[in-house]
């Protein structure tokens, strides 16, 4: 064996897995395709790239000394700052000596006593336990639009942005996509481009982020409050340190309701959602909230036709991942920005000179930006050939959609652990919080396996129970109502329509994982072993 554990990836999850498992006495090696650490924050260098979680809690909590020594500069950390933070973590805990950079894993195969992991350079490595830390929003989704290969300008997906930047100064720039990424990039690109054309398929809600520098006083208060901040996060639905409102907005007289919404709007960011009780479970609450946000678009955008096109009417607020922004809707008041509704008039082709719509209308472009998102959650795991017992591939096992136990393991794939896998609450949770919980839980299980020599493999029964719970949790919310959401796999043609993340809340999920551990990991086939076939 080359190591007890091989970890694939060196972003937030891979770095912490390496650190935590090493500190528990395992030999660990991490394989990273990039030339540096950071994962998502290594690749996503598009203009305006920034985290939607606030900096003081979008960070690790495992070491109070790290919390005290790091200083965030803004309310929301930008891509460069997060990458700098992760580089600092890699140095501070001496992680780089166990990371091989520039290695892209092509396959991983269970051999009965461990895993053989092969990379594109032909090298193979052996380990007993395989931990995937490949991210859940890391497989770029570039739509298959005819003609792209013949485009004479430059095109880029936001998640694969060139490290030396893209010169858009004075150029005709097109952006396809108005999700969180497009909404961050559009205002920045508009300031630099000669003309910016936004191709919008689904109109989106967005809340002003209200980003601002963090003062010394604010940082000092946060640092003093960290124990309490972390306590609230651990008991929360989304891993955010917000106390959710207990006010029933429908019971409020109109003026007080307006006041509540305006205050939440002024506070900005994801805190807006926390201010509205039951917004994701009660359709009537959601409707008044959605109306408030629709009205804001009409207030901000000067041209009524453009405002109407920008107004979401086909899905309730926050049923797609709610973006937050800096001057997004205001951008449409600029003379050099135009909006194209590609739901009404879909993109037919990319031509050498730009984008052609089905109506025949042509939009000439020098640069085309795909802010078209990711093959979320399953994409990164299916990007390499993962083979479990009897040589069965994950692609085959997940043909009709993913099935996991707790998002952490897959039947038929012994000694494999999937940080932030499908069926976990990761993408609905502040990511570092979810990651630390996953890794700590996996580390405890690996300690047991080291002691007992058992092999951990989810049972099919456990997967079925968990799949029912994931579906139940989603159905208890309005989330499945957004038909085009990547939560449902709907953004990738041919992908099975299954609600992918666990929507029952972070605290509940954590308790479920703790129960599984306390019971001796029955869902992972430990303890008295029940023989089951792979479904
Ligand atoms: P998203 O949220 O998946 O947004 C992608 C956007 O691209 C969305 O507006 C899509 O429209 C649009 N899109 C995708 N394919 C096409 C085609 N073929 N034609 C036109 N428009 C298209 O990805 P983001 O990168 O913005 O955000 C991903 C997550 O990263 C985010 O939620 C945060 O968690 C961080 P659609 O809505 O599908 O109609």
């Amino acid at each position: 064996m080359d190591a007890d554990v091989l970890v694939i990836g060196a972003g937030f999850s891979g770095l912490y897995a390496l650190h935590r498992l090493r500190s528990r006495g395992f030999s660990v090696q991490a394989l990273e395709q990039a030339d540096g650490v950071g994962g998502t924050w290594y690749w996503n260098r598009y203009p305006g790239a920034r985290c939607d979680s606030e900096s003081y809690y979008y960070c690790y909590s495992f070491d109070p000394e790290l919390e005290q020594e790091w200083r965030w500069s803004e309310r929301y950390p930008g891509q460069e700052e997060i990458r700098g933070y992760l580089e600092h973590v890699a140095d501070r805990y001496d992680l780089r000596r166990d990371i091989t950079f520039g290695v892209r894993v092509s396959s991983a195969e269970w051999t009965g006593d461990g895993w053989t992991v092969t990379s594109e350079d032909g090298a193979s490595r052996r380990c007993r336990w395989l931990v995937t830390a490949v991210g859940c929003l890391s497989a770029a989704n570039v739509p298959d639009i005819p003609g792209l290969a013949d485009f004479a300008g430059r095109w880029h997906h936001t998640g694969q942005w060139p490290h030396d930047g893209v010169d858009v100064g004075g150029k005709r720039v097109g952006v396809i996509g108005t999700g969180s990424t497009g909404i961050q990039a559009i205002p920045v690109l508009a300031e630099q481009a000669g003309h910016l054309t936004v191709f919008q398929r689904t109109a989106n809600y967005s809340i002003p982020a209200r980003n601002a520098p963090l003062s010394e006083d604010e940082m000092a208060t946060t640092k003093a409050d960290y124990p309490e901040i972390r306590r609230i996060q651990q008991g929360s639905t989304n891993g955010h340190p917000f106390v959710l409102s207990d006010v029933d907005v429908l019971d409020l007289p109109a003026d007080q309701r307006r006041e509540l919404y305006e205050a939440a709007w002024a506070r900005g960011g994801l805190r807006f959602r926390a201010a509205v009780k039951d917004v994701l479970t009660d359709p009537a609450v959601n409707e008044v909230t959605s109306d408030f946000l629709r009205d804001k678009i009409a207030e901000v955008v000067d041209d009524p036709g453009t405002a109407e096109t920008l107004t979401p009417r086909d899905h309730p607020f926050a049923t797609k991942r709610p973006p937050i922004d800096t001057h997004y809707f205001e951008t449409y008041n600029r003379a050099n920005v135009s909006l194209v509704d590609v739901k009404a008039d879909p993109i037919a082709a990319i031509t050498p000179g730009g984008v052609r719509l089905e109506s025949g209308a042509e939009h000439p472009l020098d640069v085309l930006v795909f802010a078209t998102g990711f093959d979320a959650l399953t994409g990164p795991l299916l990007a390499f050939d993962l083979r479990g017992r009897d040589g069965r591939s994950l692609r085959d096992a997940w043909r009709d959609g993913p099935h996991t136990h707790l998002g952490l393991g897959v039947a038929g794939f012994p000694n494999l652990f999937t940080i932030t896998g499908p069926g976990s609450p990761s993408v609905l949770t502040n990511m570092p919080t979810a990651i630390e919980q996953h890794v700590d839980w996996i580390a405890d299980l690996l300690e047991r396996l080291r002691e007992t020599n058992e092999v951990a493999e989810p049972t099919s029964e456990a997967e079925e129970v968990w799949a029912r719970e994931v579906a139940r949790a989603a159905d208890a919310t309005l989330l499945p109502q957004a038909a085009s959401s990547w939560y449902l796999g709907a953004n990738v043609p041919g992908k099975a329509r299954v609600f992918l993340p666990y929507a029952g809340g972070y605290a509940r999920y954590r308790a479920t994982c703790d129960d599984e551990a306390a019971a001796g990991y029955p869902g992972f086939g430990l303890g008295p072993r029940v023989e089951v076939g792979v479904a």
Side-chain angles (χ1 to χ4, degrees), residues 137 143 176-181 201-202 320-321 371-374 484 486:
L137 293 160
I176 301 179
T178 53
S180 299
T181 300
R201 189 163 66 183
T202 304
K320 298 183 79 159
R321 163 69 155 68
T372 43
F374 302 91
S484 66
W486 57 257

Side-chain angles (χ1 to χ4, degrees), residues 6-10 29-34 98-105 117-119 125 130:
L6 280 176
V7 174
I8 306 177
Q29 282 181 27
L31 305 175
E32 168 55 58
Q33 60 178 315
D98 286 321
I99 306 173
T100 308
F101 292 101
V103 174
R104 197 181 166 88
V105 170
V117 178
T118 305
S119 45
R125 294 170 176 83
L130 180 61

